[in-house]
Amino acid sequence: MKWDAWGAPEKRKVLSDGIKGLLRQALGVTIRETPDRVAANVVLAPSAVSEGQLAALAGIVGEQFCSTEHDDRLLRAGGKSTLDMLRRRSTETQNAPDVVVTPGTEDEVAEILGYCADNSIAVVPFGGGTSAVGGLDPVREKFDAVLSLDLRRFDSLIDLDIDSGIATLGAGLRGPRVEELLGARGFSLGHFPQSFMFATIGGFASTRSSGQASAGYGRFEDMVQGLRVVTPAGILDTGRAPASAAGPDLGELFVGSEGTLGVITQVRVQVHPVPESVVREGWRFPDFETGAAALRALRQEGAVPTVLRLSDEAETGVNLATHDKIGEEAVTGGCLAITTFEGTAEHTAERVAEARTVLQANGATSLGEEPGNGWEHGRYDAPYLRDALLDAGVLCETLETATRWGNLATLRAAVTTALTESLSGQGTPPLVLCHISHTYATGASLYFTIVCAQNDDPIAQWSKAKTAAGDAIIAAGGTITHHHAVGVDHRPWMRDEIGDLGVTVLRAVKNAVDPAGILNPGKLIP
C-alpha cells in the first residue's frame, strides 16, 4: 500500500463535482488542493539499532531480509486510520520502527524474539499494515529500539484437508491470495472484511476480524480451528480436534491478542466449497428502527443471508451505502438494506424465498438486485474516498461497536449525540452516518462514519470526538470495539470493558509467555 494513503496508487479517488457540492452545502467545507507528498522528504527519527545489533539480526535472517532503509521503515510506521494518515501528512519528524526484519521460518522468529528480549528491543508483528486503531504504532516504552517483524514470507497454503474442510494457511497470506489458492482447489474461506485486499491471515486472527459475509460464514474466530504461535517462552500449537473438553481453549488467548502475546505463524481454518449460486437483493425500509427489527427477525428465525447490512437514513440519503453516485443523486426517505445468499442453487433459492417472506412481513420493499450489485462493486473502496476527503480539508473517520438488540437504539443515539456535540464547536455540525454490518441472534454491530470540516488541528479534533464516543459507548452498555481491535486507540477503555480482574488475568498471561514484555508494547493490555 501507499505510505501516506490506503491501498493501491492506481485506485486513488478523485472527488466528483457532486461530492464537492455536497461537502460545501452540507458541511460548509472550503475545498482545498493538497499537493502530492514525496516519501523521500519525510523525516524519520534516526534508527536506534547499533551496527552490532543489525549484524546479529542479519545473521539470523540474511542481510536481504534485514533493513534500516528509510522507505522500508516508513511503510511500517503505523496503520491506516485517519490519525495515521494525518500524521503522515505532518512535516514534523516521524516515528518509525528502527529496523525491519522479515523471517522465513518459525526458528528464525524464535531466535529474533530471544535476541530482542536480551537486547531491549520491542517487536511489532506486521502483516498487511491495515490497523485502524494504532495497533502497529512503534511504541518503545522502556525499550531502546523497535523492530518491525514482517511476516510476508509465511505465505503458503500449507495443507488442505478436503474431507474435513480445513486449510492450514501461512500467517502472511493476504486475502486475495488465500481465495486464489483455495479457489484453485474448489474452496473458499469466505472472509471479506473491508481490508480484504491487503490484510493477512495472521492479522485476521490477531485482531478478531469480522468479514462482510459474517452472517453466513461467521467471524474469523468462528473459522479458526487451531493456531501455531511463537512466543519468547516457546511455541504453542492449539486445536487438536473440532471440539474438546480439555480445559479452557488456549487458542482463544491468542485470537484477538494483537501481537502482544506471541507471533502467529500458521492458522488452521474451516473452508467451504466455492458457492455455485449467488443472489443479491436490495431492500427499502421506511426507517432505521423498522429495518433493525426486520434484521433481528431474520436472525432469530434462522433465515440468515450470507451478507446482511442496513444503512440508516443519512447513509442511504448520500448513497454511501453502495458508493454509487455519492453526492450525484439525493435519495430521500427510507433506509437501504443489502442481502446476499450463496450456496447450491437449490439451497440458495430456498433461503431467498424464506428471507423474502420474513422481510416483507416486517416492512421491507424489494429493490431488486441492482443495489446489491452496486454494493458488491464498491465494497472495498471507502478508504480511498476517505483519503481524498482528508486532502480536500475534510475530516473523515469511522468507529464501531455492538450491543444487544434491546439496547441498539439507545447505544446508537448515545454515540450519535456524543459525536455531534464534540464536533459541533466551530460551525456546521458533522454528518454522522450509521449502518448495521454484522448481526447475531442476540444483537448487532453499529458502524459509524463521521464527516465534517477539518479545523486547524484535525488530530486533536478527532481525538476529542473519539474520546467522547468511547465514553458514550461504555456508558450506554456497548463494547468498545466489535471488529477493529484495541491497539492504542481503545486501550483507555479496556479496564471498563473487562474489569480489574480481567486486566490482571491478561497481564498474568503476558508475563508467562513474554516475561521481558517485548511484544507490541503499549497495545491492548492496560
Side-chain angles (χ1 to χ4, degrees):
M1 288 195 288
K2 291 187 65 178
W3 65 275
D4 63 341
W6 179 267
E10 65 272 14
K11 294 201 68 175
R12 177 179 178 179
K13 179 80 172 179
V14 177
L15 297 183
S16 68
D17 290 339
I19 293 177
K20 291 178 181 178
L22 177 66
L23 294 172
R24 293 189 187 101
Q25 181 179 1
L27 299 174
V29 175
T30 300
I31 305 297
R32 70 189 184 199
E33 299 293 332
T34 301
D36 289 340
R37 293 164 293 275
V38 179
N41 293 339
V42 178
V43 179
L44 300 181
S47 174
V49 295
S50 67
E51 289 296 327
Q53 290 171 334
L54 191 61
L57 292 167
I60 296 172
V61 298
E63 290 187 5
Q64 70 271 37
F65 298 116
C66 183
S67 173
T68 57
E69 292 297 318
H70 175 279
D71 287 357
D72 291 331
R73 296 175 60 208
L74 179 61
L75 282 169
R76 295 161 183 83
K80 296 296 182 181
S81 71
T82 287
L83 288 180
D84 290 317
M85 296 301 92
L86 290 171
R87 293 186 189 109
R88 295 292 86 80
R89 286 157 169 75
S90 171
T91 58
E92 301 294 325
T93 299
Q94 306 258 336
N95 190 19
D98 299 289
V99 59
V100 178
V101 177
T102 311
T105 68
E106 289 181 347
D107 287 342
E108 289 178 355
V109 172
E111 194 170 351
I112 290 166
L113 296 184
Y115 182 84
C116 289
D118 292 339
N119 287 271
S120 190
I121 300 174
V123 178
V124 180
F126 189 94
T130 62
S131 173
V133 291
L136 299 173
D137 289 359
V139 178
R140 283 170 172 74
E141 290 194 341
K142 64 182 180 180
F143 299 100
D144 298 331
V146 177
L147 177 150
S148 177
L149 189 74
D150 194 314
L151 293 160
R152 75 173 86 172
R153 294 173 66 196
F154 290 82
D155 61 350
S156 62
L157 170 58
I158 299 164
D159 181 66
L160 178 60
D161 182 341
I162 293 176
D163 291 335
S164 305
I166 296 176
T168 304
L169 304 169
L173 278 170
R174 298 176 189 267
R177 182 60 174 159
V178 171
E179 291 300 321
E180 179 184 352
L181 290 171
L182 291 176
R185 304 283 295 276
F187 285 85
S188 171
L189 176 60
H191 188 68
F192 303 108
Q194 194 169 74
S195 61
F196 168 77
M197 299 301 294
F198 303 98
T200 61
I201 287 293
F204 295 153
S206 67
T207 60
R208 203 174 284 274
S209 174
S210 190
Q212 294 169 342
S214 65
Y217 300 122
R219 290 163 57 88
F220 195 72
E221 68 260 31
D222 300 322
M223 303 174 182
V224 173
Q225 302 296 300
L227 304 165
R228 280 185 65 83
V229 187
V230 181
T231 80
I235 296 177
L236 192 69
D237 195 323
T238 74
R240 294 175 62 88
S244 172
D249 183 354
L250 295 181
E252 279 294 304
L253 289 172
F254 296 92
V255 174
S257 63
E258 301 181 33
T260 64
L261 303 179
V263 179
I264 297 172
T265 57
Q266 293 182 21
V267 186
R268 292 187 295 280
V269 291
Q270 180 180 354
V271 296
H272 60 271
V274 173
E276 66 180 52
S277 174
V278 178
V279 177
R280 301 186 184 95
E281 191 163 10
W283 298 87
R284 181 189 176 279
F285 290 95
D287 53 61
F288 189 75
E289 289 71 25
T290 301
L295 267 58
R296 175 172 59 84
L298 272 184
R299 289 300 314 223
Q300 293 179 347
E301 294 184 27
V304 184
T306 305
V307 174
L308 182 59
R309 300 169 62 87
L310 173 70
S311 293
D312 71 0
E313 292 88 345
E315 188 170 278
T316 300
V318 298
N319 292 296
L320 191 61
T322 61
H323 293 90
D324 181 34
K325 300 180 180 178
I326 299 172
E328 304 292 342
E329 290 183 4
V331 179
T332 58
C335 297
L336 175 66
I338 301 294
T339 59
T340 301
F341 295 86
E342 297 179 352
T344 64
E346 181 179 4
H347 189 210
T348 298
E350 291 174 353
R351 290 165 61 213
V352 167
E354 184 179 7
R356 283 176 178 165
T357 298
V358 174
L359 289 171
Q360 289 170 345
N362 284 273
T365 301
S366 176
L367 301 175
E369 66 178 15
E370 184 177 350
N373 291 338
W375 172 81
E376 172 73 20
H377 178 73
R379 64 175 170 166
Y380 301 129
D381 292 344
Y384 293 101
L385 175 60
R386 184 274 311 265
D387 292 336
L389 291 171
L390 290 179
D391 282 339
V394 179
L395 184 66
C396 180
E397 182 57 303
T398 63
L399 59 85
E400 40 74 46
T401 180
T403 191
R404 304 178 307 279
W405 286 114
N407 191 47
L408 200 70
T410 299
L411 179 60
R412 177 174 172 244
V415 176
T416 301
T417 297
L419 290 167
T420 301
E421 292 181 350
S422 61
L423 290 168
S424 295
Q426 298 180 351
T428 307
L431 186 62
V432 180
L433 317 174
C434 182
H435 67 255
I436 293 174
S437 54
H438 306 277
T439 57
Y440 309 91
T442 57
S445 70
L446 292 172
Y447 191 101
F448 295 87
T449 300
I450 304 93
V451 186
C452 67
Q454 290 182 25
N455 66 18
D456 294 337
D457 188 351
I459 290 178
Q461 181 186 14
W462 174 246
S463 297
K464 176 185 176 183
K466 178 71 172 181
T467 298
D471 289 345
I473 286 170
I474 294 299
T479 177
I480 195 61
T481 176
H482 171 263
H483 60 269
H484 279 175
V486 175
V488 171
D489 294 0
H490 294 143
R491 192 183 183 210
W493 294 279
M494 272 299 285
R495 192 175 296 275
D496 297 303
E497 180 88 15
I498 64 175
D500 292 341
L501 181 57
V503 172
T504 299
V505 171
L506 284 182
R507 288 178 176 173
V509 175
K510 173 79 168 174
N511 290 335
V513 297
D514 180 23
I518 60 170
L519 283 168
N520 214 7
K523 324 294 167 45
L524 180 62
I525 306 171

